[in-house]
Amino acid sequence: MKKPLIVQKFGGTSVGSIERIQNVAEQVIQAKLAGNRLVVVVSAMSGETNRLVELAKQIDSVPNAREFDVLLSTGEQVSMALLAMALSKLGHHSVSLTGHQAQIQTNNQHNHATISDINPQVIQRYLDDDLIVIVAGFQGVNALGDITTLGRGGSDTTAVTLAGALSADECQIYTDVAGVYTADPRIVVNARCLEKIDFTTMEVMSKKGAKVLHLPCVTYAGENDVPLRVLSSFESGPGTLVKGRDPEPGISGVALQKRLLAISMPLHQKPRIDQQIKLCGIEIDCQIMDGSDYTLIAQPDAIHRAISMLSDTVIEETQVGLVTVVGEITASLISQSQQLLNLAEISVLHFCEDKHSFTLVIDSEAIDKAANVLHDNYIITNITVSREEKLAYLG
Ligand code: ADP
Ligand code: ASP
Ligand code: MG
């Protein structure tokens, strides 16, 4: 019988120093000695991708997209080679592969590519030779043979797609927190680590700013039934299982996005604006129609691209933040949330509603406070209430 196959992914902080890489090597060896076959996906060492972005931007604020990918992909190549060396030093055989070597095929969308195909035979051959296979995250190759990257945070997507292509028994995403929390634990003091979260909720959380999992990774794993777990590489624990599609009733989490840009334009230009945004594939986080204004909110890079096309129509540009409540949404919940924030002296500029969430647009500086207020009201208070209810019921 074949040994179980596990795909493990280690993020930037988890491979952030030589000591951390040695630590990862020990964890990988432990999993191998426990009787598993291992494919290990690595990110660039923490800070490295940002350093490379900065270098490119010193030359051109909008660098050539193909060359930008050639540059950014080098970060992961450093990590994979160092991990292979660390494993070898500890007496274990491994092989490190770039996206190209692992035959990870993508479309042609430089800087935001989508994986279209993986030939599992290459990795399978090395696994059959009993090697630990290390794959560079975040990168692939297009039909022309050019290096592409999958968008920031894309190593998660490399890992789940490999797990799907290889029919792995589990995909484990190792990161710098204990699992998926009800909100970013670095910002929301009372955030709780979840034992389990469904794909529908996780997708909304990722889309609205919970960067613990890259959005395409969640979408792929959900659609292809990849068994997915998020864990800490710093401490042992069960982490969070991402499984099932049905959300729990009530509110599940709070997500936030800081330092976005909002641009307002005349509402009557909406059809032309929407068409151009779509044509250029610009990703918008929130659209608001208010009086005679049409406002678009997105990451600064996306807004700068939009402005370069729509400069004749832009009336105003401001920095904003978004805080999103994820779960079962009602009209009264939206108005109550606005009141809660007003009581905390945070003014709500706009709101937008989606199927499993609603988003409040506020000043970027007030985001942390707003996320704590909403989280504690909808998640912590509800837990307390249900505990009290349970006690009352038990007498
Ligand atoms: P990695 O380098 O391992 O890929 P990331 O920085 O991409 O790690 O993602 C982990 C970070 O995601 C955490 O340090 C945390 O600050 C942030 N985060 C945001 N929202 C959440 C959430 N709901 N649960 C857990 N972490 C979250
Ligand atoms: N190194 C890339 C980034 O920093 C990809 C990743 O870490 O997932 O975005
Ligand atoms: Mg990440």
PDB file of all heavy atoms in Angstrom, residues 75-94:
ATOM      1  N   GLY A  75      12.886  34.997  -5.020  1.00  0.00           N
ATOM      2  CA  GLY A  75      12.799  34.860  -3.560  1.00  0.00           C
ATOM      3  C   GLY A  75      12.526  33.424  -3.143  1.00  0.00           C
ATOM      4  O   GLY A  75      13.176  32.875  -2.238  1.00  0.00           O
ATOM      5  N   GLU A  76      11.601  32.781  -3.808  1.00  0.00           N
ATOM      6  CA  GLU A  76      11.212  31.400  -3.476  1.00  0.00           C
ATOM      7  C   GLU A  76      12.340  30.428  -3.823  1.00  0.00           C
ATOM      8  O   GLU A  76      12.514  29.403  -3.169  1.00  0.00           O
ATOM      9  CB  GLU A  76       9.932  31.019  -4.222  1.00  0.00           C
ATOM     10  CG  GLU A  76       8.622  31.389  -3.534  1.00  0.00           C
ATOM     11  CD  GLU A  76       8.347  32.872  -3.372  1.00  0.00           C
ATOM     12  OE1 GLU A  76       9.008  33.683  -4.049  1.00  0.00           O
ATOM     13  OE2 GLU A  76       7.465  33.227  -2.568  1.00  0.00           O
ATOM     14  N   GLN A  77      13.120  30.791  -4.852  1.00  0.00           N
ATOM     15  CA  GLN A  77      14.206  29.900  -5.285  1.00  0.00           C
ATOM     16  C   GLN A  77      15.296  29.829  -4.209  1.00  0.00           C
ATOM     17  O   GLN A  77      15.903  28.778  -3.999  1.00  0.00           O
ATOM     18  CB  GLN A  77      14.771  30.437  -6.596  1.00  0.00           C
ATOM     19  CG  GLN A  77      15.328  29.350  -7.478  1.00  0.00           C
ATOM     20  CD  GLN A  77      15.603  29.865  -8.879  1.00  0.00           C
ATOM     21  OE1 GLN A  77      14.781  30.583  -9.455  1.00  0.00           O
ATOM     22  NE2 GLN A  77      16.745  29.532  -9.428  1.00  0.00           N
ATOM     23  N   VAL A  78      15.509  30.935  -3.520  1.00  0.00           N
ATOM     24  CA  VAL A  78      16.490  30.956  -2.418  1.00  0.00           C
ATOM     25  C   VAL A  78      16.024  30.016  -1.314  1.00  0.00           C
ATOM     26  O   VAL A  78      16.771  29.153  -0.841  1.00  0.00           O
ATOM     27  CB  VAL A  78      16.637  32.408  -1.871  1.00  0.00           C
ATOM     28  CG1 VAL A  78      17.466  32.427  -0.585  1.00  0.00           C
ATOM     29  CG2 VAL A  78      17.222  33.327  -2.927  1.00  0.00           C
ATOM     30  N   SER A  79      14.748  30.140  -0.913  1.00  0.00           N
ATOM     31  CA  SER A  79      14.234  29.317   0.197  1.00  0.00           C
ATOM     32  C   SER A  79      14.304  27.831  -0.127  1.00  0.00           C
ATOM     33  O   SER A  79      14.677  27.017   0.713  1.00  0.00           O
ATOM     34  CB  SER A  79      12.771  29.650   0.494  1.00  0.00           C
ATOM     35  OG  SER A  79      12.609  31.007   0.703  1.00  0.00           O
ATOM     36  N   MET A  80      13.926  27.479  -1.366  1.00  0.00           N
ATOM     37  CA  MET A  80      13.849  26.043  -1.680  1.00  0.00           C
ATOM     38  C   MET A  80      15.235  25.406  -1.659  1.00  0.00           C
ATOM     39  O   MET A  80      15.416  24.288  -1.165  1.00  0.00           O
ATOM     40  CB  MET A  80      13.140  25.795  -3.022  1.00  0.00           C
ATOM     41  CG  MET A  80      13.942  26.143  -4.255  1.00  0.00           C
ATOM     42  SD  MET A  80      12.962  25.932  -5.750  1.00  0.00           S
ATOM     43  CE  MET A  80      14.275  25.774  -6.956  1.00  0.00           C
ATOM     44  N   ALA A  81      16.235  26.129  -2.147  1.00  0.00           N
ATOM     45  CA  ALA A  81      17.599  25.575  -2.159  1.00  0.00           C
ATOM     46  C   ALA A  81      18.130  25.454  -0.726  1.00  0.00           C
ATOM     47  O   ALA A  81      18.745  24.445  -0.363  1.00  0.00           O
ATOM     48  CB  ALA A  81      18.503  26.463  -2.996  1.00  0.00           C
ATOM     49  N   LEU A  82      17.875  26.474   0.091  1.00  0.00           N
ATOM     50  CA  LEU A  82      18.368  26.426   1.479  1.00  0.00           C
ATOM     51  C   LEU A  82      17.706  25.283   2.245  1.00  0.00           C
ATOM     52  O   LEU A  82      18.361  24.580   3.022  1.00  0.00           O
ATOM     53  CB  LEU A  82      18.110  27.773   2.188  1.00  0.00           C
ATOM     54  CG  LEU A  82      18.967  28.944   1.673  1.00  0.00           C
ATOM     55  CD1 LEU A  82      18.521  30.255   2.319  1.00  0.00           C
ATOM     56  CD2 LEU A  82      20.459  28.699   1.949  1.00  0.00           C
ATOM     57  N   LEU A  83      16.410  25.069   2.008  1.00  0.00           N
ATOM     58  CA  LEU A  83      15.729  23.969   2.704  1.00  0.00           C
ATOM     59  C   LEU A  83      16.295  22.619   2.253  1.00  0.00           C
ATOM     60  O   LEU A  83      16.526  21.724   3.082  1.00  0.00           O
ATOM     61  CB  LEU A  83      14.209  24.037   2.471  1.00  0.00           C
ATOM     62  CG  LEU A  83      13.403  22.934   3.134  1.00  0.00           C
ATOM     63  CD1 LEU A  83      13.601  22.927   4.660  1.00  0.00           C
ATOM     64  CD2 LEU A  83      11.900  23.057   2.818  1.00  0.00           C
ATOM     65  N   ALA A  84      16.560  22.488   0.951  1.00  0.00           N
ATOM     66  CA  ALA A  84      17.135  21.226   0.453  1.00  0.00           C
ATOM     67  C   ALA A  84      18.507  20.979   1.103  1.00  0.00           C
ATOM     68  O   ALA A  84      18.839  19.850   1.486  1.00  0.00           O
ATOM     69  CB  ALA A  84      17.254  21.272  -1.064  1.00  0.00           C
ATOM     70  N   MET A  85      19.283  22.055   1.261  1.00  0.00           N
ATOM     71  CA  MET A  85      20.602  21.909   1.901  1.00  0.00           C
ATOM     72  C   MET A  85      20.450  21.504   3.368  1.00  0.00           C
ATOM     73  O   MET A  85      21.189  20.645   3.864  1.00  0.00           O
ATOM     74  CB  MET A  85      21.375  23.237   1.827  1.00  0.00           C
ATOM     75  CG  MET A  85      21.816  23.605   0.434  1.00  0.00           C
ATOM     76  SD  MET A  85      22.504  25.279   0.474  1.00  0.00           S
ATOM     77  CE  MET A  85      22.490  25.666  -1.257  1.00  0.00           C
ATOM     78  N   ALA A  86      19.481  22.120   4.040  1.00  0.00           N
ATOM     79  CA  ALA A  86      19.265  21.805   5.464  1.00  0.00           C
ATOM     80  C   ALA A  86      18.847  20.345   5.630  1.00  0.00           C
ATOM     81  O   ALA A  86      19.299  19.652   6.547  1.00  0.00           O
ATOM     82  CB  ALA A  86      18.207  22.745   6.042  1.00  0.00           C
ATOM     83  N   LEU A  87      18.003  19.863   4.712  1.00  0.00           N
ATOM     84  CA  LEU A  87      17.562  18.458   4.783  1.00  0.00           C
ATOM     85  C   LEU A  87      18.737  17.517   4.529  1.00  0.00           C
ATOM     86  O   LEU A  87      18.914  16.516   5.222  1.00  0.00           O
ATOM     87  CB  LEU A  87      16.449  18.207   3.750  1.00  0.00           C
ATOM     88  CG  LEU A  87      15.084  18.798   4.107  1.00  0.00           C
ATOM     89  CD1 LEU A  87      14.159  18.806   2.900  1.00  0.00           C
ATOM     90  CD2 LEU A  87      14.438  18.018   5.249  1.00  0.00           C
ATOM     91  N   SER A  88      19.551  17.889   3.566  1.00  0.00           N
ATOM     92  CA  SER A  88      20.702  17.062   3.222  1.00  0.00           C
ATOM     93  C   SER A  88      21.667  16.982   4.411  1.00  0.00           C
ATOM     94  O   SER A  88      22.166  15.910   4.757  1.00  0.00           O
ATOM     95  CB  SER A  88      21.365  17.682   1.995  1.00  0.00           C
ATOM     96  OG  SER A  88      22.611  17.124   1.788  1.00  0.00           O
ATOM     97  N   LYS A  89      21.881  18.115   5.054  1.00  0.00           N
ATOM     98  CA  LYS A  89      22.784  18.169   6.220  1.00  0.00           C
ATOM     99  C   LYS A  89      22.274  17.239   7.334  1.00  0.00           C
ATOM    100  O   LYS A  89      23.048  16.675   8.099  1.00  0.00           O
ATOM    101  CB  LYS A  89      22.847  19.626   6.698  1.00  0.00           C
ATOM    102  CG  LYS A  89      23.782  19.902   7.827  1.00  0.00           C
ATOM    103  CD  LYS A  89      25.211  20.045   7.338  1.00  0.00           C
ATOM    104  CE  LYS A  89      26.140  20.290   8.521  1.00  0.00           C
ATOM    105  NZ  LYS A  89      27.529  20.021   8.196  1.00  0.00           N
ATOM    106  N   LEU A  90      20.936  17.095   7.395  1.00  0.00           N
ATOM    107  CA  LEU A  90      20.359  16.221   8.428  1.00  0.00           C
ATOM    108  C   LEU A  90      20.214  14.777   7.929  1.00  0.00           C
ATOM    109  O   LEU A  90      19.556  13.951   8.558  1.00  0.00           O
ATOM    110  CB  LEU A  90      18.997  16.771   8.887  1.00  0.00           C
ATOM    111  CG  LEU A  90      19.061  18.109   9.641  1.00  0.00           C
ATOM    112  CD1 LEU A  90      17.678  18.713   9.819  1.00  0.00           C
ATOM    113  CD2 LEU A  90      19.732  17.956  11.000  1.00  0.00           C
ATOM    114  N   GLY A  91      20.764  14.521   6.758  1.00  0.00           N
ATOM    115  CA  GLY A  91      20.822  13.143   6.255  1.00  0.00           C
ATOM    116  C   GLY A  91      19.614  12.695   5.456  1.00  0.00           C
ATOM    117  O   GLY A  91      19.386  11.499   5.294  1.00  0.00           O
ATOM    118  N   HIS A  92      18.828  13.643   4.946  1.00  0.00           N
ATOM    119  CA  HIS A  92      17.640  13.258   4.174  1.00  0.00           C
ATOM    120  C   HIS A  92      17.714  13.776   2.742  1.00  0.00           C
ATOM    121  O   HIS A  92      18.081  14.918   2.508  1.00  0.00           O
ATOM    122  CB  HIS A  92      16.372  13.768   4.876  1.00  0.00           C
ATOM    123  CG  HIS A  92      16.085  12.981   6.100  1.00  0.00           C
ATOM    124  ND1 HIS A  92      15.178  11.955   6.128  1.00  0.00           N
ATOM    125  CD2 HIS A  92      16.642  13.036   7.331  1.00  0.00           C
ATOM    126  CE1 HIS A  92      15.168  11.417   7.333  1.00  0.00           C
ATOM    127  NE2 HIS A  92      16.051  12.055   8.087  1.00  0.00           N
ATOM    128  N   HIS A  93      17.347  12.924   1.807  1.00  0.00           N
ATOM    129  CA  HIS A  93      17.453  13.292   0.393  1.00  0.00           C
ATOM    130  C   HIS A  93      16.210  14.059  -0.063  1.00  0.00           C
ATOM    131  O   HIS A  93      15.087  13.669   0.236  1.00  0.00           O
ATOM    132  CB  HIS A  93      17.608  12.037  -0.466  1.00  0.00           C
ATOM    133  CG  HIS A  93      18.878  11.309  -0.160  1.00  0.00           C
ATOM    134  ND1 HIS A  93      20.126  11.885  -0.319  1.00  0.00           N
ATOM    135  CD2 HIS A  93      19.103  10.070   0.335  1.00  0.00           C
ATOM    136  CE1 HIS A  93      21.054  11.031   0.045  1.00  0.00           C
ATOM    137  NE2 HIS A  93      20.458   9.914   0.463  1.00  0.00           N
ATOM    138  N   SER A  94      16.474  15.134  -0.775  1.00  0.00           N
ATOM    139  CA  SER A  94      15.345  15.905  -1.316  1.00  0.00           C
ATOM    140  C   SER A  94      15.764  16.487  -2.656  1.00  0.00           C
ATOM    141  O   SER A  94      16.939  16.439  -3.023  1.00  0.00           O
ATOM    142  CB  SER A  94      14.973  17.043  -0.354  1.00  0.00           C
ATOM    143  OG  SER A  94      16.025  17.982  -0.309  1.00  0.00           O
TER     144      SER A  94
END
